[in-house]
Amino acid sequence: MRKLRNLIGLPVICHRRKIGRLVQAELSPDLKRMEGVWVDCGLRGTRYIPAEQLSMIGERAVLSDSRGRRRKCNVHSMLRRAVSTDGARLGAIVGAEVDELSFLVSSLELTRGFWDDLRGGRSRVEHYNAQAGGAEIIVLDSTQAMEKEEDP
């Protein structure tokens, strides 16, 4: 699993040539899968490569079957409010983990604030419900969200 924030800056390789660096990954509206990536190609502009045309996300590079199409980068924030099923605020969603081959989101990253992050780290949320266009993510198992994330 790879965190989305760790993908930024990775070189994107197409047919054994570097075409640019990854600047942003786009998730589906329900936050269940990665739909594509934006690549900064220098003078050739920002290009969008859909997930269907990506081979895999490696440790040092992203492999693609296509150079993508010129498209303006959509600026949208991952930041959304996380609430439990009874409406209690749990924190904010600030990131996600994606499988390298299937591009499915395995978990979301939950923060409760700066000081709580320093004290105990961020939490992982695996069971959630996100609505398209909604500003809130409903965490289905709030006890699981209270468990701390363990970084290897």
Side-chain angles (χ1 to χ4, degrees):
M1 301 299 155
R2 297 291 307 266
K3 293 184 180 185
L4 286 183
R5 70 173 176 255
N6 294 341
L7 298 180
I8 296 173
L10 284 180
V12 178
I13 309 295
C14 178
H15 304 296
R16 296 187 304 240
R17 299 185 118 193
K18 177 183 167 187
I19 60 171
R21 293 205 175 264
L22 193 138
V23 291
Q24 185 177 344
E26 179 184 32
L27 296 180
S28 64
D30 62 354
L31 302 180
K32 297 290 185 186
R33 66 187 177 340
M34 186 175 76
E35 289 192 337
V37 296
W38 275 275
V39 180
D40 180 15
C41 297
L43 295 175
R44 288 175 277 162
T46 304
R47 295 181 173 267
Y48 179 76
I49 303 173
E52 296 83 29
Q53 296 175 351
L54 295 174
S55 301
M56 70 175 277
I57 300 170
E59 285 293 320
R60 300 184 187 260
V62 176
L63 302 179
S64 173
D65 297 330
S66 166
R67 294 184 177 272
R69 293 181 178 255
R70 283 192 74 158
R71 186 169 153 189
K72 186 175 179 182
C73 186
N74 291 344
V75 180
H76 60 83
S77 174
M78 265 294 296
L79 188 66
R80 292 192 191 177
R81 181 183 302 159
V83 296
S84 65
T85 53
D86 61 354
R89 290 185 185 177
L90 299 175
I93 300 296
V94 293
E97 285 188 1
V98 177
D99 183 65
E100 295 95 343
L101 295 173
S102 66
F103 308 119
L104 295 175
V105 174
S106 63
S107 65
L108 299 177
E109 194 172 355
L110 174 71
T111 179
R112 289 182 189 81
F114 181 72
W115 295 112
D116 287 337
D117 288 352
L118 284 177
R119 230 179 342 174
R122 293 180 175 170
S123 302
R124 293 175 62 196
V125 176
E126 295 177 356
H127 305 288
Y128 60 91
N129 186 10
Q131 299 165 351
E136 292 183 344
I137 295 175
I138 300 170
V139 178
L140 301 177
D141 187 9
S142 59
T143 58
Q144 180 258 340
M146 298 300 165
E147 296 173 7
K148 298 296 179 186
E149 176 183 57
E150 296 177 17
D151 280 329

